[in-house]
Every structure is written in structure tokens, then in C-alpha cells.
Amino acid sequence: MAIVKNLRAIFAEVPTGYVEPGKHVTIDESQTIDPDKVQLDGGFLVKTLVLSIDPYMRGKMRDPSQKSYSPPFERGEPLYGYGIAVVLRSENSAIQTGDHLYCRTLRYEEYSVYKDASAFRALQNVGVPWTLYVGVLGMPGQTAYYGWKEYSAAQKGETVFVSTAGGAVGSLVVQLAKRDGLKVIASAGSDEKVAFARECGADVSFNYKVEDTNDILAREGGIDIYFDNVGGKQLESALEHAHDRARFIECGMASIYNNPEAYTPKNLMRIVQSELRVFGLLVFRLADKYQDEFFQVMPRLVKDGQIKFKEEIVYGLDKVGQAILDVGTGANSGKVVVIVSEE
Amino acid sequence: MAIVKNLRAIFAEVPTGYVEPGKHVTIDESQTIDPDKVQLDGGFLVKTLVLSIDPYMRGKMRDPSQKSYSPPFERGEPLYGYGIAVVLRSENSAIQTGDHLYCRTLRYEEYSVYKDASAFRALQNVGVPWTLYVGVLGMPGQTAYYGWKEYSAAQKGETVFVSTAGGAVGSLVVQLAKRDGLKVIASAGSDEKVAFARECGADVSFNYKVEDTNDILAREGGIDIYFDNVGGKQLESALEHAHDRARFIECGMASIYNNPEAYTPKNLMRIVQSELRVFGLLVFRLADKYQDEFFQVMPRLVKDGQIKFKEEIVYGLDKVGQAILDVGTGANSGKVVVIVSEE
């Protein structure tokens, strides 16, 4: 192999609203690499295969003065996040050439040399596409699974409301809830996603942009659990129609990520009135408790076709900016993954 | 005894803001009663001794179309709530003449005949004023005790923030937290209440109308527990400065009871970011679990002078409307009780 370009997706500028590809995220083509000869200094060289595009990334594209659970991206440097890479060369005894590595802080560039192997895990593929390991078997699937197990206190016959139910996290929550014998009310922002949530087993599935969430939840007799990915108006509706001692699993608030002036619920007093329990969910904090169980249970179910999922695959590292925008606006129609290289 | 007047405090009109005595709550003097001769029909006649005035009552002075955990007062009928009454006559074998009864739905009138004894409990006084049984030993004390035991998950060395810390509930939370070895940050709305919270053991006590809650919580290094009686801006500050996995005990939101346009927190995303746990607290739902323990522990501590409390006693049933207003504005300087009769 000779010297090749090494494309990198750079965090160039802090957006105030939606991400503009080419402005807030740029593609740098200036770097080159010689995969055969690049110095490893005891580290290892990987080629990026798959990059995950997730809503939380928008939260890291912020000014460093704003604190949050996860550090901000560094301006002028590549984005990083969940991804799969294959090892081309290694001077680290724990990492073998040909290994497929899973990483939550993979740099969004075509080739990388790393020294520290602690953020990487070699994957044993049960015979499904690698892309699933950043989707239904990756962080989004784990988020749904851990959150549901830890906080739902689900009882057969109860009713759960799931927002972004056509998405990577929500669609698995729908299926986990149905497997536990619950009634599922699902909301999504496009007819396609509404249809997918119904395919996943939702008893009621509606487009929150067309139908009124309050009307639906009132008609269906209220809820015992809300799995929240959006915050804002739908959270307000869920609070309004929560039964006594209902559980709220707060996974994300997509309605505010791109809108600093977003609507905030006015009826927090419902927490007192109905003795609600509201739990913030961070997937990586629950990994020690549930990850082994997850990898015992879920890859098999996926391989056996017992779990539905939807991927939207785009090709080429240069599509990262557009993909982040699509996830922000909801224009995507499945878990978005970027295939950087086919190996 | 001859025929006497039977004053009644009537819910006359639904307020939109603060209660106006004489308009929203009126005193009806039109009824009379002959305590010696009134027909009991198998029931019992009581004379009201003590009535409790509590912030939650404002929530019941609403239009019946608004649902809540507790039914609205009925317009044209007497208010009702926590109180102590003495039995003058009884045809019910479970109720003895001379018994002092505790009731959470006592009608706010001087004399009453009841048929159903199930809402009443005969009190065994350990030797403290009866008024305490609607205060530090009544619903407010039980609210603090049950909420702290059930939801705080308090660990020695942690920091708790308590709002309305000079009030009937908050001042006991301060003391329970200190007994458990926590650092206590207390807020209140008057210098007198700030001083009382400090007397109760608060390490930091401040007037939230004068000092900025955000500044105080930042300076003190954040919080592990928030015992919330107010909602609004202070809740927003508590969210902002909550440590990972902090617990929020949502007992009330006094900032909104008299103000439908009240401020609502803009930073609910903090629940996700710091994996917060938020619990709605309704005291009567926890009584089965904690009431026996409470009555074993607390009356003795109070009698032995180990618990501080503050009462504001007013005399005469005609003061009920003004007392409700004072509790709403925070003009009171202790747990407000109305002594209707000295026996």
C-alpha cells in the first residue's frame, strides 16, 4: 500500500441551531498516511469501518464553558464517538492484526494510530453485519435495554408511552415492552417511523406532528411508564396523563438539542400530585451491571430474526456532517451509520 | 348548654391568585346547634379544638374541572382538613365521650356531627400541647419524616438543600438531616425563618429573596439531595448544582400555587446529564409504612426537647381565611394553627 489520503471529519464551529455540514462540521483532506510505514511506537493502526451517528453528539458540539455529563468536542479536531475499526498493524500484545474493535471514542477519520487500548474491545461477531454493533447491539440497543431493565419496574398489563418510537432506542423499547406483556403507545415524527413502531408491536402508534399527544394519551386511559427521548411538549403530555406512581425514564430531550428557546413543561407539580418517579438514564453508567447479560441475550435474538431494527446506511466519511444534521431534524429513517470502508 | 351559634369557614369562591379573606373564604354565622339535643342517629358530636392551616389547602380551592391528587373543596360548603376535636356525645361504640380525635377531613366549623368514624383516630397524648398533633407530630412532621426516610438515601457526609427550611416541614427535614450527619444548606423567605433554620442546625442558611441560590449552591460545592417545597427558580438552581445521582424529593411547589404564570425550570436536561432521581412525595400514601415508627420515635423526641419547632397560633374560627392567605404569602413565622376552642 502506498501513501493514501486520510479524510477527517472536523468539529469546526459551534452551532446555535441545527448543524450545517461544511460550516460546523468540515471534511479535512489535507492529511496523508502510509499504512505500511506509519510509526506505531508500541501502539496499533486501525482502519475505520463503521461510524455511528447519534443524537447525543449534538450536545458535545458546544462551547466548552457549558458543562455536561460528557466533555465537549474540541474545535479543530476530529469528532469522535462509537465506531468499529479493523486492526491493520499492532505493536500492542493485547491487540491482534485483523481484530474488529468496538470503541466509544473512535476518531472520525479513515485511519488512526492509538497507543492506549483500554477504550477498545474486540468483538466476537455472531454472524450479523458489523454495523449492528453500533445500532441494535451497540449503544442505542444497550440504552433501551439497560434503561428498561433498571427503571421501568414494568408489570404485565401496564401501559408504556415511548417517544421517538421509530428510532434506534425507541423501537427496541417498544419490543422489550411487548415482550414483557405491556400495552405500548408509540409516537414518532414521520409516517414511516409511525409505521415502523407499529411493525415493532406498538398497540397505538401516531405522528405527534399530526395528532395531539394529549388526546391520544387521554383516549388510551393514561400511562404507567414513559420512556422519554424528546422532553418538551410530549413530556408535558406524559406528565399530565401519568397514573399514580408512574415511572419516567429520561433518556434524552431531543426537542431542545437544536433549540435553546425550546418549550419547557409547565406541569411539574404533577410529579408531586401523582407521586411520579423520574430517572435520568446514562447508558455507560449501567454497563457494568447489564452489559454481560445484554451480549448473552440480544445478539442471538437479533440473529434469529426476533428483533426488528432499521438502519440507514450512508457511505463515505464525507457524509458525517449531513448525517448529524439528518439525525437532528429527524430526516433519517433508521439508525444512521456511516460505512467508511468495506474492509 | 343551650342553643349556640355554630360558625363555619366556607369555601365561597375560586381565587386565581392569593386568597382574599371575606371573598374566597367567608365566615357563615347563620347556623345554630344545641349540643345537648342534636340528633346523632348512631353518630357522634364533636367540638373542634384545633384546625391546621397548610399550603396544600390552596390547591383544593380550585375549579372542579382541574384534576389533582386531592379532590377540590366544594363551593358553598365548609373547608375541611387536619384538626383535633373532642367528643361531646357519642352513639358509636368505637368513639368515647371525652376522646380527643385526630382527623384529616375535619370540617372547619365549631361543632360537627359525624356518622363514619373511619377518618378519625383517638390520640394518646404524651404530654405536649394538642396543637403539636397537627404540626411537628401531625401531617407536616410526618411529611418530613416519611419523605426523608423513603427517598433521601442519605449518606453521612452528603449535602442536602432544603427550601422553605423555616417552615413546618422544612425545619424538621433540616433536623433529620443533621441527625443523619449531613451538611445542610437551607433557604427561606424571611430573616426570621433563615434564623430559625440555622437554630435547627443548618450549616448554611440564606434568604433566597436577597441572595442568589445559584451562587450559594455553587460556593458550597453542589448538592446530593434536594428537599423541594417550592419548585420554580430554586428547583432550577438545585438541578443546576446537583451531583451525579442526586435525589430530589418533590414535596410541593409553593411558588406556583398562587401564580398560574409561575416560572418553570428550563434545565430539565440536567435530569439526564447527572442521572438524577426525582420522587413525588404524598404523605398519606406512606402512612402505612412509617406511621407506627413515627409515633414511636417523634413524640418522645419532642417531649424531651430534642426537636425544635415553631408554631403560630391564632384564635377563633373567623381567622381561617386570613391564616390561609398568610401561609400562601409566607407571612407566617411558624406552623399555623387555629385554636377554635380551649375545650
Side-chain angles (χ1 to χ4, degrees):
Chain A
M1 207 182 239
I3 291 174
V4 294
K5 271 194 179 171
N6 187 11
L7 262 57
R8 307 184 308 153
I10 305 292
F11 175 43
E13 213 175 290
V14 176
T16 50
Y18 289 115
V19 169
E20 286 178 46
K23 181 178 177 192
H24 307 111
V25 175
T26 56
I27 305 301
D28 172 49
E29 302 193 29
S30 68
Q31 294 206 351
T32 58
I33 189 168
D34 183 340
D36 296 325
K37 294 182 184 158
V38 61
Q39 289 291 318
L40 302 185
D41 296 328
F44 52 101
L45 168 68
V46 303
K47 184 165 79 160
T48 301
L49 301 180
V50 174
L51 294 174
S52 184
I53 304 294
D54 299 291
Y56 82 90
M57 296 173 72
R58 176 62 182 82
K60 292 169 74 72
M61 300 178 68
R62 65 179 191 274
D63 190 88
S65 65
Q66 291 176 262
K67 68 175 184 180
S68 186
Y69 62 102
S70 170
F73 290 130
E74 196 171 332
R75 280 177 59 181
E77 294 296 317
L79 301 169
Y80 57 84
Y82 294 89
I84 314 274
V86 62
V87 180
L88 299 184
R89 291 164 53 211
S90 175
E91 294 175 354
N92 180 322
S93 60
I95 302 286
Q96 309 304 319
T97 298
D99 274 358
H100 286 75
L101 304 180
Y102 174 80
C103 182
R104 40 179 287 239
T105 53
L106 195 71
R107 291 202 293 274
Y108 283 24
E109 58 193 7
E110 293 180 306
Y111 297 88
S112 308
V113 174
Y114 298 94
K115 295 277 158 60
D116 180 4
S118 64
F120 294 84
R121 195 162 59 82
L123 289 172
Q124 307 304 319
N125 196 324
V126 296
V128 299
W130 287 115
T131 52
L132 299 190
Y133 284 90
V134 296
V136 68
L137 299 179
M139 182 274 286
Q142 290 165 32
T143 301
Y145 191 93
Y146 302 173
W148 185 253
K149 295 282 172 184
E150 180 75 3
Y151 299 120
S152 72
Q155 299 291 322
K156 194 174 171 177
E158 287 190 323
T159 299
V160 58
F161 173 42
V162 184
S163 55
T164 69
V169 176
S171 62
L172 185 54
V173 173
V174 169
Q175 294 172 82
L176 294 173
K178 288 311 296 179
R179 294 175 82 88
D180 282 350
L182 280 79
K183 171 178 166 182
V184 177
I185 305 171
S187 75
S190 75
D191 291 348
E192 189 182 355
K193 288 174 180 166
V194 167
F196 182 57
R198 194 174 289 120
E199 270 176 55
C200 288
D203 301 276
V204 176
S205 188
F206 70 99
N207 186 334
Y208 74 89
K209 295 174 180 171
V210 177
E211 294 192 82
D212 187 86
T213 304
N214 274 311
D215 291 347
I216 303 282
L217 298 186
R219 187 190 73 198
E220 298 298 328
I223 62 174
D224 302 293
I225 303 167
Y226 176 41
F227 199 105
D228 186 11
N229 280 303
V230 298
K233 289 251 184 206
Q234 288 193 76
L235 173 54
E236 182 171 273
S237 298
L239 288 166
E240 202 60 29
H241 297 282
H243 296 160
D244 288 353
R245 300 207 169 194
R247 285 78 66 194
F248 280 56
I249 305 171
E250 295 301 321
C251 179
M253 298 196 176
S255 67
I256 66 171
Y257 297 160
N258 293 288
N259 180 6
E261 301 299 316
Y263 185 84
T264 62
K266 306 264 181 286
N267 58 348
L268 296 183
M269 185 60 194
R270 292 279 307 129
I271 295 171
V272 183
Q273 291 166 343
S274 285
E275 293 184 287
L276 304 181
R277 285 92 173 80
V278 184
F279 302 101
L281 165 61
L282 290 183
V283 59
F284 56 88
R285 295 279 180 75
L286 295 171
D288 284 350
K289 187 166 177 185
Y290 292 108
Q291 188 159 289
D292 288 349
E293 176 188 323
F294 178 87
F295 279 114
Q296 277 161 25
V297 172
M298 288 296 296
R300 184 57 49 195
L301 288 176
V302 169
K303 186 172 163 58
D304 291 351
Q306 292 187 51
I307 296 288
K308 294 183 196 295
F309 56 86
K310 217 168 191 175
E311 286 186 316
E312 181 166 307
I313 296 176
V314 295
Y315 293 87
L317 187 121
D318 58 315
K319 304 300 194 308
V320 163
Q322 182 65 43
I324 292 174
L325 172 60
D326 289 349
V327 165
T329 61
N332 61 309
S333 66
K335 163 64 196 165
V336 176
V337 294
V338 177
I339 292 184
V340 176
S341 168
E342 296 278 15
E343 304 209 26
Chain B
M1 206 183 241
I3 291 174
V4 293
K5 271 193 182 173
N6 187 11
L7 261 58
R8 307 185 306 153
I10 304 292
F11 176 41
E13 213 175 292
V14 176
T16 51
Y18 289 114
V19 169
E20 287 178 45
K23 182 179 177 192
H24 306 112
V25 174
T26 56
I27 304 303
D28 173 49
E29 303 194 28
S30 69
Q31 293 205 353
T32 58
I33 189 168
D34 183 339
D36 296 326
K37 294 182 183 159
V38 59
Q39 288 292 318
L40 302 185
D41 295 328
F44 52 100
L45 169 69
V46 302
K47 184 166 77 162
T48 301
L49 300 181
V50 173
L51 294 174
S52 184
I53 304 294
D54 298 292
Y56 82 91
M57 296 173 71
R58 176 62 182 82
K60 292 171 74 72
M61 299 178 68
R62 66 180 190 272
D63 190 89
S65 65
Q66 290 176 263
K67 70 175 182 179
S68 185
Y69 62 100
S70 170
F73 290 130
E74 196 171 329
R75 280 176 61 182
E77 293 295 318
L79 302 168
Y80 56 85
Y82 292 90
I84 314 274
V86 62
V87 181
L88 299 184
R89 290 164 52 211
S90 176
E91 294 175 355
N92 180 321
S93 60
I95 302 286
Q96 308 304 318
T97 298
D99 275 357
H100 286 74
L101 303 180
Y102 174 78
C103 181
R104 38 180 289 240
T105 53
L106 195 70
R107 290 200 295 274
Y108 283 24
E109 58 193 7
E110 294 180 305
Y111 296 89
S112 307
V113 174
Y114 296 95
K115 295 278 159 58
D116 180 4
S118 65
F120 293 83
R121 194 163 61 81
L123 289 173
Q124 307 303 319
N125 196 325
V126 295
V128 298
W130 287 115
T131 51
L132 299 190
Y133 283 90
V134 296
V136 69
L137 299 179
M139 182 275 287
Q142 290 166 31
T143 300
Y145 190 94
Y146 302 174
W148 185 253
K149 295 282 173 184
E150 180 75 2
Y151 299 120
S152 71
Q155 300 290 321
K156 195 175 169 176
E158 288 190 323
T159 299
V160 58
F161 173 42
V162 184
S163 56
T164 68
V169 176
S171 61
L172 184 53
V173 173
V174 169
Q175 294 172 82
L176 294 173
K178 287 312 296 178
R179 293 175 81 89
D180 282 350
L182 282 79
K183 171 179 166 181
V184 177
I185 305 171
S187 75
S190 75
D191 292 347
E192 189 183 355
K193 287 174 181 166
V194 167
F196 182 57
R198 194 173 290 118
E199 269 176 57
C200 289
D203 301 276
V204 177
S205 188
F206 70 99
N207 185 335
Y208 74 90
K209 295 174 181 172
V210 178
E211 295 192 82
D212 187 86
T213 304
N214 274 311
D215 292 347
I216 302 282
L217 298 185
R219 186 189 74 200
E220 298 298 327
I223 62 174
D224 302 293
I225 304 167
Y226 177 40
F227 199 106
D228 186 10
N229 279 304
V230 298
K233 289 253 185 204
Q234 288 193 77
L235 173 54
E236 183 171 272
S237 298
L239 288 165
E240 203 60 29
H241 297 282
H243 296 160
D244 288 353
R245 300 208 170 192
R247 286 78 66 196
F248 280 56
I249 305 171
E250 295 300 321
C251 178
M253 297 197 176
S255 68
I256 66 172
Y257 297 159
N258 294 288
N259 180 7
E261 301 300 317
Y263 185 83
T264 62
K266 306 267 182 283
N267 58 349
L268 296 183
M269 185 61 193
R270 292 278 310 129
I271 295 171
V272 182
Q273 291 167 342
S274 285
E275 294 184 286
L276 305 182
R277 288 90 174 79
V278 184
F279 302 100
L281 165 61
L282 289 183
V283 58
F284 56 88
R285 295 279 180 75
L286 295 171
D288 284 351
K289 189 167 176 185
Y290 291 107
Q291 187 158 290
D292 288 350
E293 177 188 324
F294 179 87
F295 278 114
Q296 276 162 26
V297 171
M298 288 297 296
R300 182 58 47 195
L301 288 176
V302 169
K303 186 173 163 55
D304 292 350
Q306 292 187 50
I307 296 290
K308 294 183 196 298
F309 57 86
K310 216 167 192 177
E311 285 186 317
E312 180 166 307
I313 295 175
V314 294
Y315 293 87
L317 188 123
D318 57 314
K319 304 300 193 309
V320 163
Q322 182 65 42
I324 292 174
L325 172 60
D326 289 347
V327 165
T329 60
N332 61 310
S333 65
K335 163 63 195 164
V336 176
V337 294
V338 176
I339 292 184
V340 176
S341 168
E342 297 277 17
E343 305 206 29

